[in-house]
């Protein structure tokens, strides 16, 4: 019987689809993340793997899986998988693009608003020292209307962030390796800038790009020195795009105004220094953590397994 191994507990919509198609389904149910050793053992008999972004599938795992035909990754990213080596071995790798676009864009704008109005800081104050009473200069934040949002990476998520930010009255600029056609820029009401100009002119910078060798540590000590001292940076893309040590130093030195991080350079570890700063918001990689987005992602990974089990081509192959 065709065996499917899931490296975490997934939404029921995935399990139902797999079982309805008479596949042998087994899921990791342990505490925390699956260990490399356990994945090695389970991959040895699997025809299909359904993995998460926190599951690292390296050459050793692939070599231990002689029957493996597909690694269906639960997420738009796939840098946790050695997809090039999988291709050498005739194993397809798929991802789940597009379906988390709205959820991640909503979180991005939520973090911008929360930073601007000091919502998390205010909540912490109410839970500790309390509210001393209303006063004209008490706990002032900033409105985002009229502020400039610089988007690094104008793919599907970045474009949706631009739409939502524009509806809130923000001026939106962007930098991407490939510039949009003028008609598309006009439709989104965005302005293209060089990376340096984007960094210097933005009140908020939203990182919505994928992790590549070129984007790793794109934001570093030199970048933070170029930013406005009042500017904030939001990372919902990939952790290593930011040099976190340099970011922490810039925040501590008040070179920039604040930061909101949903992804981390050494995820799931977070530098303790960030937790001591009032102008930093930390969320546990919840960009697409909505019932709607996760169900749609589950439908894709299970659907790709079913397609291949039936001898058909899966969708969203990233290593053709």
């Amino acid at each position: 019987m065709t065996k499917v191994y899931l490296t975490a507990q997934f939404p029921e919509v995935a399990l139902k689809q797999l079982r309805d198609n008479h596949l042998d389904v087994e899921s990791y149910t342990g505490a925390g993340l699956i260990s490399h050793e356990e994945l090695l053992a389970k991959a040895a008999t699997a025809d299909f793997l359904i993995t998460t972004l926190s599951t690292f599938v390296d050459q050793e795992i692939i070599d231990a899986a002689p029957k493996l035909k597909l690694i269906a990754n639960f997420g738009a990213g796939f840098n946790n998988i050695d997809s090039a080596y999988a291709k050498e071995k005739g194993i397809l790798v798929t991802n789940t693009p597009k379906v988390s676009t709205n959820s991640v864009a909503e979180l991005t704008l939520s973090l911008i608003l929360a930073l601007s109005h000091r919502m998390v800081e205010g909540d912490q104050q109410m839970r500790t020292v309390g509210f001393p009473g209303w006063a004209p200069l008490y706990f002032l934040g900033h409105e985002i209307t009229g502020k400039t949002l610089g988007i690094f990476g104008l793919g599907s998520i970045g474009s949706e962030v631009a739409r939502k930010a524009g509806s809130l009255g923000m001026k939106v600029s962007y930098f991407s390796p490939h510039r949009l056609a003028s008609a598309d820029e006009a439709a989104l009401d965005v302005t293209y800038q060089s990376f340096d100009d984007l960094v210097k002119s933005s009140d908020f910078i939203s990182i919505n790009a994928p992790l590549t060798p070129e984007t790793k540590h794109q934001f570093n000590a030199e970048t933070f020195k170029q930013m406005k001292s009042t500017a904030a940076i939001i990372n919902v893309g990939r952790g290593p795009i930011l040099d976190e040590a340099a970011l922490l130093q810039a925040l501590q030195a008040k070179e920039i105004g604040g930061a909101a991080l949903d992804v981390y350079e050494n995820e799931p570890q977070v530098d303790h220094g960030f937790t001591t700063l009032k102008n930093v918001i930390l969320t546990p990689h919840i960009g697409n953590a909505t019932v709607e987005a996760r169900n749609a992602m589950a439908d894709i990974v299970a659907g790709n397994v079913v397609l291949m089990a039936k001898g058909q081509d899966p969708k969203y192959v990233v290593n053709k």
Side-chain angles (χ1 to χ4, degrees):
M1 193 172 183
T2 302
K3 184 169 182 178
V4 186
Y5 186 72
L6 294 81
T7 65
Q9 296 182 57
F10 285 83
E12 182 60 31
V13 63
L15 301 176
K16 184 177 187 303
Q17 186 173 174
L18 295 169
R19 289 170 180 152
D20 285 351
N21 283 275
H22 311 293
L23 298 171
D24 181 9
V25 180
E26 182 183 358
S27 299
Y28 173 72
T29 57
L33 304 177
I34 188 170
S35 68
H36 189 77
E37 292 71 23
E38 182 158 0
L39 183 56
L40 268 175
K42 297 299 183 180
T45 59
D47 296 281
F48 303 101
L49 282 178
I50 296 180
T51 56
T52 69
L53 291 172
S54 55
T55 306
F56 291 93
V57 183
D58 56 15
Q59 292 188 16
E60 187 179 12
I61 297 293
I62 292 169
D63 285 338
K67 297 169 58 184
L68 193 59
K69 304 174 184 66
L70 171 70
I71 304 168
N73 206 42
F74 190 84
F78 50 91
N79 51 294
N80 56 306
I81 298 169
D82 192 334
S83 54
Y85 190 68
K87 180 180 178 180
E88 289 181 23
K89 296 295 184 179
I91 300 167
L92 297 181
V93 177
T94 60
N95 67 341
T96 60
K98 302 178 182 178
V99 293
S100 60
T101 295
N102 186 67
S103 179
V104 178
E106 285 186 357
L107 179 67
T108 303
L109 268 297
S110 298
L111 292 172
I112 291 172
L113 286 164
L115 277 172
S116 299
H117 290 271
R118 302 172 65 185
M119 294 180 190
V120 174
E121 188 182 348
D123 177 81
Q124 291 171 344
Q125 174 147 326
M126 294 298 290
R127 296 171 187 271
T128 52
V129 299
F131 178 33
W134 189 94
L137 299 181
Y138 175 70
F139 226 87
L140 297 182
H142 290 278
E143 298 176 11
I144 67 170
T145 298
K147 301 299 190 298
T148 298
L149 171 63
I151 299 176
F152 178 67
L154 203 74
S156 59
I157 293 173
S159 296
E160 187 60 27
V161 171
R163 291 187 191 94
K164 295 182 188 305
S167 70
L168 292 171
M170 301 189 81
K171 295 178 288 187
V172 182
S173 300
Y174 79 98
F175 171 79
S176 277
H178 305 289
R179 183 174 178 176
L180 298 181
S182 57
D184 294 328
E185 288 183 349
L188 277 175
D189 194 18
V190 296
T191 301
Y192 177 82
Q193 290 186 304
S194 69
F195 179 73
D196 286 345
D197 286 344
L198 184 89
V199 167
K200 293 173 184 176
S201 64
S202 297
D203 298 300
F204 298 90
I205 296 175
S206 175
I207 299 175
N208 299 104
L211 177 63
T212 67
E214 293 73 30
T215 62
K216 183 176 181 180
H217 284 189
Q218 178 88 34
F219 291 85
N220 50 45
E222 185 59 35
T223 311
F224 303 132
K225 285 182 171 62
Q226 295 179 59
M227 290 173 60
K228 295 179 180 180
S229 61
T230 55
I233 192 162
I234 296 92
N235 190 9
V236 296
R238 287 291 176 264
I241 296 175
L242 276 179
D243 181 340
E244 282 190 4
L247 173 62
L248 181 57
Q249 187 173 16
L251 288 163
Q252 290 170 335
K254 298 184 179 180
E255 289 179 350
I256 65 174
L261 307 178
D262 186 52
V263 290
Y264 303 91
E265 187 168 2
N266 300 298
E267 195 166 313
Q269 282 75 39
V270 181
D271 192 311
H272 176 70
F274 289 112
T275 68
T276 66
L277 299 176
K278 293 182 178 180
N279 58 342
V280 174
I281 297 175
L282 306 172
T283 52
H285 202 151
I286 57 172
N288 59 25
T290 62
V291 171
E292 295 84 358
R294 294 286 169 88
N295 279 346
M297 294 164 68
D299 186 62
I300 289 173
V301 291
N304 278 335
V305 167
V306 171
L307 284 171
M308 280 207 74
K310 292 180 177 179
Q312 300 174 34
D313 294 331
K315 300 176 181 177
Y316 310 122
V317 177
V318 299
N319 67 337
K320 287 183 180 178

